[in-house]
Amino acid sequence: MADELEALIAGLSQPQKSVSPKYFYDEAGSVLFDEITRLPEYYLTGTELAIMRDNIAEMAALVGPQASLIEFGSGSSYKTRLLLEHLEDLAAYVPVDISEEHLLASQQRVRQAFPHIDVLPVVADFTHPFQLPDPTTMPVRNLVYFPGSTIGNFEYDDAMKLLRVMYQEAGQGGALLIGADLQKDPEVIHAAYNDSAGVTARFNLNMLTHLNRAFGADFDLDAYEHRATYRPDEGRVVVELVSSHKQLVHIGDATITIAKDEAILTEYSHKYAIKTFAAMANSAGFAVDRVWTDPREWFSVQLLVRD
Ligand code: SAH
Ligand code: AVI
């Protein structure tokens, strides 16, 4: 907690103030994210799910029997159900997530639906070293699963670090099945992060409620507005909270001055070109075995393998 507070204060003390997007995900934030996935503008989840449905038989055949399925940022494990249904004779399912209550409640439901599967949830921040449990049955290989384009919430260096961690966790003969959102019409992307029902705005603002509760901060919850801008030249959405007036925020023993109209960066959401993503995968040691997309080529699910 002391390290977390220190990192938070450091982020809020830079000329460009920022807070890690991991603070979106308290219990309320996880529920709001689920609501986002059902929005008509938020094409990512529906498109990825359709890709999974269309190709699940081939995916399961490529992975083979008795794998251990390790998921980073599992959320509600909704898309994962397809893998749990189709992967043959799964050795274990290990969902990893930072949002404790949501993870445990989701896995209760997964256990009920798949009583024959060894479900071993891990509450952890996957950007720091963490321990994975040993399944009761020895797996033939590991399949790391990282759906949702959550990789896109990391800047290049941190995304590379995470891919290297997943390379290690995949182990010899293992693989990474990863969802990566693709570059497309900027208006489509803009709408996905500026939905008409205002759910993304509530999701973004909830981060401050979370920080006030978890760290005793005193952000004025009424003073901020959601802003999300797609920058095609950078291939990413920039998500911010913009302060309507000057204020002092106390967090730990720090006092942060936030100017009128100043923006706190809360998230990047990178949109990839298939080629750039392949270069990242290769730099992490993976070979790109398969890339599945939808007919509009809006989203990709990729099987990255290691030898
Ligand atoms: N996989 C789901 C959820 C994606 S939302 C889907 O595809 O729909 C991102 C998920 O990652 C959330 O459940 C969030 O709690 C989790 N998450 C974000 N940052 C994390 C971190 N640093 N460590 C662990 N989990 C994290
Ligand atoms: C989890 N992650 C991939 C989402 C995204 O699209 O970048 C989080 C999100 N932020 C705003 N809407 C959804």
Side-chain angles (χ1 to χ4, degrees):
M1 203 69 173
D3 289 354
E4 273 193 67
L5 186 59
E6 202 180 306
L8 262 170
I9 293 171
L12 288 167
S13 306
Q14 302 298 315
Q16 167 62 75
K17 295 184 172 61
S18 67
V19 178
S20 163
K22 68 186 177 191
Y23 293 110
F24 284 139
Y25 302 97
D26 61 354
E27 206 173 352
S30 294
V31 170
L32 283 166
F33 178 75
D34 275 355
E35 222 178 296
I36 288 176
T37 65
R38 294 188 289 269
L39 292 169
E41 296 97 332
Y42 195 75
Y43 61 84
L44 288 83
T45 311
T47 311
E48 185 176 26
L49 188 61
I51 296 170
M52 295 295 294
R53 282 201 182 116
D54 288 350
N55 299 286
I56 191 69
E58 188 188 1
M59 290 174 184
L62 285 165
V63 173
Q66 290 167 43
S68 179
L69 178 64
I70 302 160
E71 180 169 7
F72 280 53
S74 51
S76 293
S77 297
Y78 186 63
K79 282 164 281 192
T80 321
R81 287 175 177 242
L82 280 168
L83 290 167
L84 297 175
E85 278 160 16
H86 287 85
L87 289 176
E88 193 189 332
D89 204 7
L90 208 56
Y93 171 46
V94 185
V96 180
D97 207 289
I98 200 167
S99 187
E100 181 165 5
E101 296 85 355
H102 194 81
L103 172 70
L104 299 179
S106 300
Q107 297 320 315
Q108 200 57 28
R109 289 192 289 274
V110 169
R111 280 202 185 96
Q112 274 163 11
F114 301 92
H116 56 288
I117 295 180
D118 193 14
V119 181
L120 304 167
V122 176
V123 181
D125 176 350
F126 56 54
T127 61
H128 293 293
F130 65 98
Q131 196 64 39
L132 285 174
D134 290 324
T136 330
T137 315
M138 186 69 180
V140 169
R141 67 181 59 77
N142 288 338
L143 176 67
V144 179
Y145 185 41
F146 195 30
S149 204
T150 302
I151 187 73
N153 297 135
F154 294 85
E155 288 191 83
Y156 183 82
D157 287 354
D158 290 332
M160 285 307 303
K161 259 191 224 161
L162 210 42
L163 287 175
R164 291 196 178 101
V165 168
M166 293 184 193
Y167 181 87
Q168 290 306 323
E169 295 301 349
Q172 234 181 2
L176 167 62
L177 185 66
I178 186 164
D181 196 15
L182 302 177
Q183 294 174 359
K184 62 186 70 61
D185 181 350
E187 280 183 26
V188 173
I189 298 176
H190 180 86
Y193 294 83
N194 292 279
D195 62 285
S196 54
V199 183
T200 310
R202 279 195 277 138
F203 173 71
N204 194 11
L205 287 158
N206 176 65
M207 178 186 271
L208 300 180
T209 311
H210 183 192
L211 295 182
N212 282 356
R213 191 190 56 250
F215 296 94
D218 59 358
F219 285 96
D220 174 358
L221 301 176
D222 297 324
Y224 293 87
E225 266 185 35
H226 165 73
R227 183 164 76 195
T229 320
Y230 180 53
R231 297 190 184 152
D233 50 325
E234 295 173 17
R236 62 187 179 186
V237 180
V238 180
V239 182
E240 296 165 309
L241 287 167
V242 184
S243 178
S244 61
H245 58 76
K246 183 183 170 183
Q247 58 181 293
L248 297 180
V249 174
H250 303 94
I251 177 163
D253 52 15
T255 302
I256 313 285
T257 307
I258 302 183
K260 178 174 167 14
D261 298 328
E262 188 172 358
I264 302 173
L265 171 68
T266 52
E267 182 182 57
Y268 286 125
S269 192
H270 290 81
K271 309 300 166 192
Y272 300 98
I274 299 243
K275 257 194 183 169
T276 338
F277 197 78
M280 285 171 66
N282 294 154
S283 303
F286 287 109
V288 181
D289 193 50
R290 287 284 195 289
V291 178
W292 295 278
T293 59
D294 53 292
R296 295 184 292 199
E297 301 198 345
W298 279 9
F299 197 93
S300 68
V301 178
Q302 313 204 10
L303 186 68
L304 313 181
V305 294
R306 56 166 287 180
D307 38 42

